[in-house]
Amino acid sequence: MCGEPVWSVGVQTECVFTLCVFQDVYLFIKLNSESLIRSVILVCVCISSLKGDIATTGPSSTISCPIHNCKWPKSVDGFVYVPYELSLQYDTMDRITIEMGMLDISSRTCVKFVPRTHQSNFLDIHPNYGCWSFVGMVGGGQPLSLQSPGCMWSGVAAHEFMHALGFVHEQSRSDRDRYVTILWDNIMEGQKHNFRKYHTNNLNTAYDYSSVMHYGRFAFSEEGLPTIMPKPDPNIPIGQRDGPSPLDIHKINLLYNCGE
Ligand SMILES: [Zn+2]
């Protein structure tokens, strides 16, 4: 259905899950790869072992997080340590860029990204195909792709790290129709699934047009026509990738109970 897996995670060769991604789209996880989205898919990943219930539960009402218990655990010292490994394929500039994306988050929240020593759950950061991540902690060495040079902006890295912390795209929020209009006719054939809504717990925060998790107005555009229109003012900027907005930071602090 979606091609051969590009690499395996774990020791078994049989896929327990298949994850298919098209650039920054990562949510199509199904047992036996049945009923995967029939559309342009960039790459599929065979996952041979995963903890949790990611395959059996759809998007739920947990905070912007498609599964229960997808948060990284809090340490007794009040910090949330997210261990990571960086592929040796990255050069020094790449590493600095990626670590700047981490710093954008860690400098203003209780989430701390730490190089992995022995931890069993960690981000396995590779320059694979495109920029993508699982949503939340899935257990084990979970792949997070930051292609070089295509994804080498600290804001893009921070965007993927926010996925890994449990956040979906801002325009996927349950209440998004009050704030944006999706122009379905302008969306590239086979890419409409990127604009679906999820049942999210929005933590009583305002819709954030300036979120680093918001798509730009021409995302997956067929012919250069807008696909997302803010309302009531269509000129409100969306889609910035400079880094997490103040509200993004606030939401991380709320989700992880950082006690700002
Ligand atoms: Zn994303």
Side-chain angles (χ1 to χ4, degrees):
M1 176 79 71
C2 64
E4 287 297 302
V6 168
W7 81 97
S8 301
V9 179
V11 289
Q12 300 161 39
T13 51
E14 242 175 56
C15 301
V16 177
F17 303 89
T18 304
L19 164 69
C20 291
V21 296
F22 180 79
Q23 284 292 0
D24 183 34
V25 180
Y26 46 80
L27 277 173
F28 316 118
I29 304 166
K30 280 276 185 185
L31 273 175
N32 307 323
S33 66
E34 198 187 321
S35 71
L36 282 163
I37 306 297
R38 277 171 291 125
S39 62
V40 182
I41 287 170
L42 187 64
V43 59
C44 292
V45 185
C46 166
I47 308 290
S48 59
S49 62
L50 273 187
K51 286 198 286 188
D53 55 354
I54 194 166
T56 50
T57 61
S60 73
S61 58
T62 52
I63 157 63
S64 310
C65 185
I67 51 169
H68 292 291
N69 301 322
C70 69
K71 288 199 293 185
W72 295 80
K74 198 161 189 177
S75 169
V76 286
D77 64 10
F79 291 112
V80 176
Y81 295 102
V82 179
Y84 68 90
E85 283 190 358
L86 274 183
S87 165
L88 295 174
Q89 290 173 261
Y90 289 120
D91 65 20
T92 305
M93 273 312 296
D94 291 342
R95 299 174 76 91
I96 290 171
T97 302
I98 293 167
E99 286 166 357
M100 278 174 58
M102 293 174 178
L103 200 59
D104 280 347
I105 292 170
S106 62
S107 62
R108 290 180 281 169
T109 69
C110 61
V111 174
K112 306 296 170 198
F113 296 91
V114 292
R116 178 187 181 226
T117 51
H118 60 284
Q119 299 91 337
S120 54
N121 299 328
F122 63 99
L123 298 179
D124 190 6
I125 305 169
H126 274 83
N128 291 313
Y129 300 88
C131 334
W132 55 265
S133 167
F134 282 90
V135 174
M137 190 188 84
V138 296
Q142 69 185 72
L144 185 153
S145 177
L146 289 170
Q147 193 175 353
S148 178
C151 313
M152 284 301 124
W153 284 273
S154 60
V156 171
H159 174 107
E160 301 309 333
F161 296 140
M162 279 193 68
H163 280 318
L165 291 175
F167 294 92
V168 295
H169 293 129
E170 190 71 0
Q171 81 284 343
S172 295
R173 277 171 61 138
S174 51
D175 60 350
R176 67 106 184 272
D177 291 328
R178 301 217 297 264
Y179 305 99
V180 293
T181 304
I182 304 298
L183 302 167
W184 295 100
D185 290 346
N186 296 344
I187 298 171
M188 223 181 270
E189 194 58 46
Q191 297 302 327
K192 289 191 166 69
H193 57 266
N194 293 315
F195 295 83
R196 61 187 280 197
K197 267 191 302 192
Y198 292 99
H199 298 291
T200 54
N201 172 353
N202 303 318
L203 293 166
N204 294 319
T205 57
Y207 190 88
D208 186 9
Y209 294 105
S210 64
S211 172
V212 79
M213 304 309 286
H214 207 300
Y215 274 177
R217 68 188 68 233
F218 299 103
F220 298 98
S221 171
E222 182 73 84
E223 291 171 341
L225 296 168
T227 52
I228 305 177
M229 196 73 92
K231 62 186 180 188
D233 178 0
N235 297 314
I236 295 170
I238 52 173
Q240 67 86 10
R241 289 293 179 271
D242 296 329
S245 69
L247 206 41
D248 287 330
I249 293 297
H250 180 57
K251 282 189 285 193
I252 297 170
N253 281 318
L254 280 177
L255 177 61
Y256 284 95
N257 216 347
C258 291
E260 284 173 89

